[in-house]
Every structure is written in structure tokens, then in C-alpha cells.
């Protein structure tokens, strides 16, 4: 089955997201809605979406639009028709009738429903029609959420379902899990249950919403929006509808029922327009007082808002055992929530799936959890879990496990896909080396380094791990949300606060030496990024020999925002790349001025397509839709480069003073226009000094080590500057830039 043309009916949140993603995969797609204006508006929304739904905005015209009355003919040519209209069965039934009258023989018809069972959706179809009908449940935002649940019916031709699955994996890059027709399928059944437990336990145990979100967040391996933040993001009214549907579809004795019950505070919020971020606010709201925005949080008892308090549990990364063994209310809450989630998820095996593994995958891909409930159980340890858990009668999975006491019950991961993923090959490593910032997996012919810190921020230990792993071909990758958000600024600022600038210098020097090792050691090094690849993270990538990049990346050198300049080889490598252009061969100032512009403005790209014109990525770098394929693409690069020869060292000829003057002129103009302020000027001049080659002239050659020295000196002067320190502290505290 070839899918060459797709029609999507319903151009709301999901229809437009799916259309954009098909466009990302270069599949011709038409969006139909009640009126053409609605689909046109949808196309507009796609274009302006942030984070962008399109990998390449210039392709927006590839999404055709129309309405279901005048343009329904397009359905005749489609190989796949996706219905994504409002969640109303009468409307959906009418649309199916029309589609099946018009579709070409054998074309697949699917619904994006999140709550209507397939048996209800397909009740008016003939058996022949049912053969080609299924549910394809995408998650929002479609480009960024990895999960796609495919729900089949008993009449389906399994070969066809499989080829649809393959198409969605290979072309759309989704983790496609085929599941049964049970309420909420896999992801929402467990994910929404988990949210409800986290919420109801917070009420019961009298935690504030900030406290609950601090626990049911990063330390648990859940995105930092936690539960109340996530409620606001999804929409409190939408969640209420989702719960109604679970209450209707699930048996009365399902443990989901008690946690799905109406909560008076929530009704009140919805009635008053507090539907979350799209409304006046929700559990959190932004209040403006005296022209200042203040984030406020609701009190679950009184319903009153007061300024939100930051809760610091002092657990920066996912650490379930640390969390549940705390002897305070946070530990009690964490255990109560986690144990209930594990009990519920395991009670559904084999009822909703006989592969418990798929539940974990659905939680990782559909809710961005670091690990699913069964992985949590593995992490806690079977013995520990059963020592603490209360009754679990009738839960066959737990009853069996409590008897077998098998600590190695888990087996393989990612069973739903045939792709050789990082998760699948990890257990085959011959040796593991761990330090506090990275794990190295040593295989016979190659190594893999995974960073393991918060946002994979880099420190001395991260570099140590990389350096030690260059004794073989090396792949740098991980499964967490970010490849690396850059150098660990907290770590760096601790030295500064202790007036230990020598240690900062030692660290940056080590960073540079390590990157040199990555580039010039005798074995090839591949970086395989996904998510944030910023600052120091980008410097690691840009000095690797090969790149296999996920299409969902945010990449760039952003150091100037915090009053620094890239000093791990970022300036050097960007200058080298731009020096290879024809323009640079004609004009010695061309490349430095380009790089001055890119780094000075801290430009970032949100996809490989945007990254290439900036030369953050090269045309030959691999661009990969399916994140699961990053490992096999990286391994292939290593296999193809068995006779790897390290590149020659870079050398620069730069104009020095006259070039620096040109750059300063640009800065002065920006300063006069108030685009930059005093410290912006200072940072800009340091950058100009580096990129113009410092005290040099065109007839001299600057070696790579000399260039590294220029970067290091500028960095040290800046980090000693109080105004840079203010910028860093502000960004660490608020996540926002400080313009000073
Ligand atoms: P939406 O309300 O944003 O969009 C629905 C669109 O359908 C609107 O543009 C509306 O004009 C159009 N429409 C209504 N009747 C129509 C008809 N007869 N013919 C053509 N178009 C018609 O809804 P949303 O959120 O995009 O949801 C669509 C489907 O996806 C629903 O089944 C929902 O359950 C499901 N879903 C929603 C998710 C979400 O996060 N919003 C996530 C996963 C699934």
C-alpha cells in the first residue's frame, strides 16, 4: 500500500497539526472543513505556530485547502482519509457515509478520535468498509509528540494496518503502537489516570499546587508542568470532557471512577472562565500589578490566588528512589501517587494489552515521561516495592510478580518497533561507566556516551566521559528531551561565587581540549541530537565528525544572551565553516562578519532546514524524522567510515583591527538605536575581538590553538564582569534573558 495523497477532514487543532506533519514528510495533503475560510485560517495558524509545526515554512503552500461541499472530490484520489472533526458521533457518522461513497477502492479511512470506541465509530459501516477503517490517534502538538496509537477493528486486513504503521513510522517518524479498542487506548488511559491521582492525592494530602507539581514533575521523570500546570496547558474544560467520557465508558468498579469524579473547585474555575492558559488562567494565572507580571497559584482549599512559591526539592534529575524514600510529605505523596499508578497500569495487563511494555512506551512518547509505570517498578525494585505496597488482590500481574520475585521481569524495551533503537541495544553493552554527568556504554567496536544531567547541561564530568570514550568510534546521543542545553551555568556560577576563577578557566580549557579530541582523535565521532542543542551542546556537535540529527531540534549558539561568547570552539568552528564559502575566498571579512551576526544575535534554528543556511548543520548531515532511528543512522555512519581519516586542523587568516572596527561600527549603530544597552556593547566588542582575530594582520596565520586562546580570554573577561553575572543569575532564576 502506497500513501501518495492524503485528505484530512476537520482543520482544527488536530487536523491542522496532522496536515502540517504530512507536509513535513513531503506528502501532498488537502485540508477540508465546513468552509474554505476555516481551512485557510488553519493554514495561517500552522504558518504562525510556535513552536513551529512545520519543519520548513516555505512549504506551506503544499497544504491545499477547501471545503467539504465544493471540494469533496479530492477524496476520490486520496490513499488515506483522516477524519479529525469535533468529537460528535452523529457528525462523524455522516462524514464516513460521504467518504465511503466517494473514496477509491482500498483507500484507508481513519478517525483521530480520542474517546469514541471503534465499534461505535464503525457501527454503520459494512464489513467490507470496516476492512479499511481504523483509528489513528495522534497527540498534540503532532510534530513534537512521538506517539501514534493505531486502533484496529476485528475486520481489518492486518497487512494493511501494518503497512499504515510502517508508513507512520518511516515517513512520519512516529512511534506507532497498535492497540485494542479499550477506553482511552493506552496513553490517555494511564496518563489521564495518573494526572487524576496526582490531583486528588494533592487535595487529600493537603499539598499546595506548587508542591504537587514539584514532586509530580522532574524528580518523577514527568515534564516540569507537573499536574496542575499540565491541566492549565491542556485546558481545564477539555479535561472535564475527557473525564466525562471515561466515566461513561469504564465499568463502575474501575479504580479510575473515583479519581475522575467532579471536583467543585474545577467546576467553579470553568464557570468563571478560568479554563487554563487559553482562558483567564487556571490553577496558575498571570496577574498584572503596577505594570509587573506576577505568577499566582490557586489555594486548593480556599480557591484564592496568591503569588506562586518556588519549591526546591533539591532533586534535579529523575530519581524515584530518592523521592519515595524521603521522610516528609513529599516522599509520602510521591509514593502514594507512584504506587497507585503502578497498581493501576499493571491491573490492565493483559486486559488492555498483553505487552506491558507498550504502556511504558505510550507514556514516554505520548506524555514525555522519562519512564513508564513498569520501568518505575523496575527502578524501585521488586523486593522494595512489595515490602511497601498495600493490597493488590485480583491484580494478576502483581500477584505473579510477588510470587516470582523476579527482579529482571522487564525484558526488552521498545517491542512495538522493529527499529534498532538506543533503548534496545543498551543492554548489549559489554561495560558501563558512570560518573555524575554521563554514562558510557562500551561495546566491542564502539562507545556510546549519554549525558544524564538536568537538560543535559555540561560540566567537567561530561567532558571527562567524552574524552575517555574517544578510544573507539563514538556516538553521542541520549533518549531524554534535550541533547544538551549547553554548559551548566549553575556549576560555572558556583565557582564564580566562590571567587574560584581558576576552576572556571580549567573547565573551559578542558572543554576545548575535549572538543579537539572529538574532532581529531583517530576514530570517528557521531553526534545524534534531538531537542535543545544549544551553546556548549552545539559545540560538542559541531566538533564531532558526523551528525545524524532528529528533525525536531532547536540548535544554535546562544551564549551572548547571558553575556558570554562561545568558548568551546563554537566561534572557531562557525568561522571555519563560513570561511569555506566562495564569498569568503573573495572577501576575507565576509565569514567573520557573517558569524558575528549569527552569534551576536544568538540565532537559533528550529529544524535542520533552518539550521543549514546558518551553517549550524551541513548539507551532508543526516536529517531523521523518526527519533528511534537516530541510533541506527549513527551506527551506519560509523560503519561507512571504518577507514576514517581525521580532518586537517583549521587555520585562519583574519584582518584584525580594521575588521574589528567594522564590527564596532555595527554595534554602535545598534547601541544608538537602543537595540543593545551598555553590556550588550561590551559583549559585542569581545565577540568582535575574537572573530577579527585579535592582534593580527592578514599576512599572519592563526592556528586552532591560538583561536581557542582568543575564545578563552574573552570568556574569562566576561565571566568576571558583574553585568554578565547579573545576566546569568537572572536567566537561572527566571528562565528569561536580562537586557542590561
Ligand atoms: P477542533 O474543535 O479544534 O476542530 C474540529 C474542526 O472540525 C473544526 O475546524 C470544525 O469546523 C470542523 N468540523 C466540524 N464539523 C465538521 C464537518 N461536518 N465537516 C468538516 N469539518 C467539520 O477539534 P480537535 O481538537 O482538532 O479534535 C478533532 C478530533 O481529534 C476529535 O475527535 C478529538 O477527540 C481528537 N483529538 C483531539 C486532541 C486534542 O488535543 N485536541 C488530541 C487527540 C485527539
Amino acid at each position: 500500500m502506497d500513501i501518495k495523497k492524503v485528505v484530512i477532514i476537520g482543520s482544527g487543532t488536530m487536523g491542522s497539526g496532522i496536515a502540517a506533519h504530512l507536509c513535513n514528510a513531503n506528502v501532498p495533503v488537502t485540508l477540508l472543513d465546513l468552509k474554505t475560510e476555516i481551512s485557510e485560517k488553519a493554514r495561517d495558524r500552522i504558518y504562525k505556530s510556535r513552536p513551529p509545526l512545520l519543519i520548513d515554512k516555505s512549504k506551506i503552500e503544499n497544504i491545499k485547502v477547501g471545503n467539504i461541499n465544493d471540494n469533496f472530490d479530492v477524496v476520490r484520489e486520496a490513499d488515506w482519509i483522516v477524519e479529525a472533526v469535533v468529537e460528535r458521533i452523529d457528525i462523524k457518522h455522516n462524514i464516513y457515509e460521504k467518504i465511503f461513497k466517494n473514496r477509491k477502492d482500498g483507500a484507508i479511512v481513519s478517525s483521530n478520535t480520542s474517546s469514541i470506541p471503534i465499534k461505535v465509530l464503525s457501527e454503520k459501516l459494512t464489513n467490507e468498509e470496516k476492512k479499511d477503517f481504523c483509528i489513528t490517534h495522534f497527540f498534540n502538538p503532532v510534530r513534537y509528540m512521538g506517539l501514534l496509537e493505531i486502533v484496529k477493528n476485528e475486520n481489518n486486513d492486518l497487512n494493511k494496518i501494518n503497512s499504515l504503521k510502517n508508513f507512520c513510522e518511516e515517513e512520519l517518524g512516529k512511534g506507532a503502537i497498535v492497540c485494542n479498542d479499550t477506553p482511552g487506548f493506552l496513553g490517555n488511559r494511564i496518563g489521564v489516570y495518573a494526572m487524576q491521582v496526582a490531583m486528588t492525592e494533592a487535595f487529600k494530602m493537603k499539598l499546595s499546587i506548587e508542591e504537587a507539581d514539584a514532586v509530580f514533575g522532574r524528580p518523577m521523570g514527568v515534564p516540569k508542568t507537573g499536574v496542575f500546570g499540565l491541566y492549565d496547558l491542556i485546558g481545564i474544560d477539555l479535561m472535564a470532557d475527557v473525564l466525562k467520557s471515561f466515566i461513561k465508558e469504564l465499568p463502575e468498579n474501575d479504580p479510575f471512577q473515583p479519581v475522575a469524579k467532579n471536583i467543585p473547585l474545577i467546576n467553579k474555575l470553568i464557570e468563571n472562565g478560568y479554563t487554563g492558559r487559553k482562558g483567564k488562567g487556571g490553577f496558575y494565572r498571570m496577574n498584572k500589578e503596577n505594570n509587573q507580571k506576577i505568577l499566582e497559584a490557586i489555594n486548593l482549599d480556599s480557591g484564592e490566588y496568591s503569588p506562586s512559591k518556588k519549591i526546591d526539592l533539591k532533586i534535579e534529575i529523575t530519581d524515584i528512589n530518592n523521592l519515595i524514600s524521603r521522610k516528609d510529605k513529599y516522599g509520602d505523596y510521591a509514593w502514594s501517587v507512584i504506587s497507585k499508578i503502578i497498581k493501576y497500569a499493571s491491573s490492565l495487563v493483559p486486559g488492555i494489552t498483553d505487552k506491558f511494555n507498550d504502556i511504558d512506551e505510550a507514556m514516554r512518547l505520548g506524555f514525555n515521561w522519562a519512564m513508564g509505570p513498569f520501568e518505575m517498578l523496575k527502578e524501585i525494585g521488586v523486593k522494595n516495592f512489595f515490602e511497601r505496597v498495600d493490597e493488590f488482590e485480583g491484580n494478576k500481574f502483581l500477584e505473579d510478580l510477588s510470587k516470582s520475585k523476579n527482579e529482571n521481569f522487564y525484558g526488552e524495551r521498545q517491542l512495538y518497533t522493529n527499529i534498532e533503537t538506543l533503548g534496545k541495544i543498551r543492554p548489549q553493552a559489554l561495560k558501563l561507566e558512570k560518573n555524575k554527568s554521563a554514562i558510557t556504554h562500551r561495546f566491542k567496536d564502539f562507545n556510546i556516551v549519554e549525558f544524564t544531567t538536568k537538560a543535559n547541561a555540561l560540566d567537567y564530568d561530561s567532558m571527562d566521559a567524552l574524552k575517555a570514550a574517544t578510544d573507539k568510534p563514538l556516538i553521542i546521543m541520549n533518549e531524554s528531551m534535550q541533547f544538551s542545553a549547553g554548559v551548566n551555568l549553575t556549576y560555572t556560577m558556583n565557582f564564580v561565587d566562590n571567587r574560584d576563577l581558576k576552576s572556571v578557566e580549567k573547565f573551559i580549557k578542558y572543554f576545548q581540549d575535549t572538543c579537539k579530541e572529538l574532532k581529531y582523535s583517530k576514530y570517528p565521532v557521531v553526534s545524534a541530537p534531538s531537542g535543545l542543542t544549544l551553546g556548549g551542546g552545539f559545540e560538542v556537535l559541531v566538533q564531532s565528525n558526523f551528525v545524524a540529527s532528529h528533525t525536531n531540534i532547536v540548535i544554535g549558539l546562544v551564549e551572548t544572551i547571558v553575556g558570554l561568547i562561545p568558548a568551546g570552539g563554537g566561534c572557531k568552528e562557525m568561522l571555519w565553516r563560513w570561511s569555506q564559502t566562495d564569498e569568503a575566498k573573495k572577501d576575507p571579512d565576509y565569514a567573520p562578519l557573517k558569524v558575528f551576526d549569527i552569534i551576536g544575535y544568538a540565532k537559533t534554528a528550529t529544524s535542520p532546514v533552518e539550521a543549514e543556511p546558518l551553517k549550524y548543520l551541513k548539507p551532508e548531515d543526516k536529517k531523521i524524522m523518526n527519533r528511534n532511528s537516530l541510533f541506527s543512522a549513527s551506527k551506519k555512519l560509523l560503519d561507512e567510515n571504518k577507514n576514517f581519516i581525521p580532518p586537517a586542523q583549521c587555520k585562519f587568516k583574519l584582518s584584525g583591527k580594521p575588521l574589528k572596527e567594522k564590527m564596532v561600527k555595527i554595534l554602535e549603530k545598534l547601541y544608538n538605536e537602543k537595540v543593545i544597552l551598555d553590556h550588550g556593547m561590551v559583549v559585542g566588542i569581545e565577540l568582535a575581538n575574537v572573530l577579527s582575530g585579535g592582534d593580527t594582520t592578514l599576512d599572519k596565520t592563526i592556528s586552532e590553538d591560538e583561536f581557542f586562546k582568543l575564545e578563552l580570554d574573552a570568556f574569562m573577561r566576561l565571566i568576571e564582569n558583574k553585568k554578565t553575572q547579573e545576566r546569568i543569575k537572572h536567566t537561572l532564576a527566571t528562565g528569561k534573558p536580562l537586557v542590561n
Side-chain angles (χ1 to χ4, degrees), residues 349-599:
V349 179
I352 67 167
T353 174
D354 48 7
K355 290 199 217 88
F356 66 81
N357 193 289
D358 280 358
I359 293 180
D360 282 354
E361 299 304 334
M363 293 316 297
R364 294 197 303 110
L365 294 166
F367 282 76
N368 284 330
W369 286 18
M371 53 178 111
F374 298 89
E375 285 169 302
M376 290 182 183
L377 173 56
K378 183 176 80 167
E379 181 89 2
I380 294 168
V382 172
K383 184 166 172 283
N384 284 346
F385 180 80
F386 284 110
E387 271 169 13
R388 199 163 166 189
V389 76
D390 56 7
E391 63 89 27
F392 47 87
E393 207 189 311
N395 181 325
K396 183 155 180 343
F397 182 94
L398 288 184
E399 282 175 357
D400 288 352
L401 192 60
S402 72
K403 282 182 209 133
S404 75
K405 300 189 174 57
N406 181 6
E407 295 285 349
N408 300 319
F409 74 94
Y410 201 83
E412 281 175 46
R413 289 182 56 205
Q414 295 166 321
L415 296 172
Y416 70 93
T417 177
N418 293 327
I419 299 171
E420 189 177 39
T421 62
L422 173 61
K424 283 188 190 184
I425 64 110
R426 254 199 223 113
Q428 297 164 24
L430 305 176
K431 201 173 157 212
L432 273 189
E433 282 160 15
K434 256 188 193 183
N435 66 25
K436 72 173 183 24
S437 308
I439 301 180
T440 304
H441 308 266
R442 289 186 168 272
F443 295 82
K444 187 164 158 276
D445 315 319
F446 66 100
N447 297 324
I448 295 176
V449 169
E450 280 187 73
F451 302 135
T452 55
T453 54
K454 176 178 163 186
N456 287 330
L458 305 171
D459 59 18
Y460 206 91
D461 278 21
S462 331
M463 293 302 119
D464 239 9
L466 289 178
K467 203 156 198 231
T470 53
D471 62 339
K472 277 187 193 157
L474 168 64
I475 300 172
I476 309 168
M477 69 181 304
N478 61 69
E479 268 186 337
S480 47
M481 299 271 284
Q482 326 297 3
F483 178 73
S484 166
V487 157
N488 186 338
L489 289 174
T490 312
Y491 167 83
T492 315
M493 278 313 282
N494 281 344
F495 290 132
V496 175
D497 289 340
N498 293 329
R499 295 176 203 284
D500 181 8
L501 289 162
K502 274 260 157 318
S503 292
V504 178
E505 190 168 357
K506 189 172 151 212
F507 166 49
I508 300 298
K509 185 80 185 42
Y510 194 51
F511 198 113
Q512 295 181 339
D513 288 348
T514 306
C515 288
K516 250 173 85 181
E517 189 93 9
L518 294 179
K519 192 169 173 192
Y520 299 118
S521 71
K522 69 177 188 203
Y523 298 107
V525 174
V526 182
S527 274
S530 177
L532 298 183
T533 308
L534 298 175
F538 171 74
E539 289 176 313
V540 166
L541 169 139
V542 77
Q543 288 163 101
S544 303
N545 308 109
F546 303 96
V547 172
S549 171
H550 188 208
T551 41
N552 292 346
I553 48 163
V554 176
I555 187 168
L557 289 168
V558 292
E559 285 82 349
T560 53
I561 295 177
V562 288
L564 293 168
I565 58 117
C571 294
K572 172 206 65 154
E573 210 58 37
M574 286 298 283
L575 188 58
W576 182 243
R577 287 189 173 186
W578 279 94
S579 305
Q580 311 308 304
T581 55
D582 290 343
E583 294 92 330
K585 281 174 190 137
K586 285 180 226 139
D587 171 6
D589 291 352
Y590 175 79
L593 284 168
K594 269 280 175 199
V595 179
F596 183 65
D597 180 63
I598 294 169
I599 298 181

Side-chain angles (χ1 to χ4, degrees), residues 275-286:
T275 50
R277 290 194 199 173
K278 64 178 176 186
K280 292 196 243 172
F283 290 102
Y284 295 94
R285 73 172 183 194
M286 208 45 102

Side-chain angles (χ1 to χ4, degrees), residues 1 3 79-84 92 96 99-100 103 106-114 116-119 121-122 125 128-138 148-158 160-165 168 177-181 185:
M1 185 195 66
I3 296 180
D79 306 297
W80 180 17
I81 302 118
V82 184
E83 169 275 303
K92 293 194 193 261
Y96 301 152
I99 295 175
F100 278 103
R103 64 146 192 173
I108 294 185
V109 182
S110 72
S111 169
N112 197 60
T113 184
S114 47
I116 307 176
I118 197 165
K119 59 179 179 297
L121 286 176
S122 61
L125 303 184
E128 201 50 32
E129 289 168 344
K130 280 184 190 166
K131 262 191 187 167
D132 299 329
F133 183 78
C134 64
I135 290 173
T136 46
H137 181 224
F138 286 91
L148 167 67
E149 292 175 315
I150 301 181
V151 184
K152 52 187 188 326
N153 72 69
E154 69 280 358
N155 294 62
N156 277 136
D157 168 357
L158 289 186
K160 206 169 231 179
I161 293 289
N162 254 334
S163 53
L164 178 66
K165 175 181 156 74
C168 293
I177 301 184
V178 177
C179 34
N180 297 327
D181 191 20
F185 319 127

Side-chain angles (χ1 to χ4, degrees), residues 78 159 271 302 373 399 451 455 519 554 576 654 695 708 713 731:
N159 282 334
E271 273 164 27
S302 65
E399 282 175 357
F451 302 135
K519 192 169 173 192
V554 176
W576 182 243
L654 294 163
D695 183 18
F708 269 132
D713 290 348
T731 301

Side-chain angles (χ1 to χ4, degrees), residues 12-14 33-34 68 84-85 87 91-92 112-114 137-138:
T13 310
M14 294 311 292
D33 207 295
L34 292 167
I68 46 159
V85 304
E87 195 75 331
I91 298 181
K92 293 194 193 261
N112 197 60
T113 184
S114 47
H137 181 224
F138 286 91

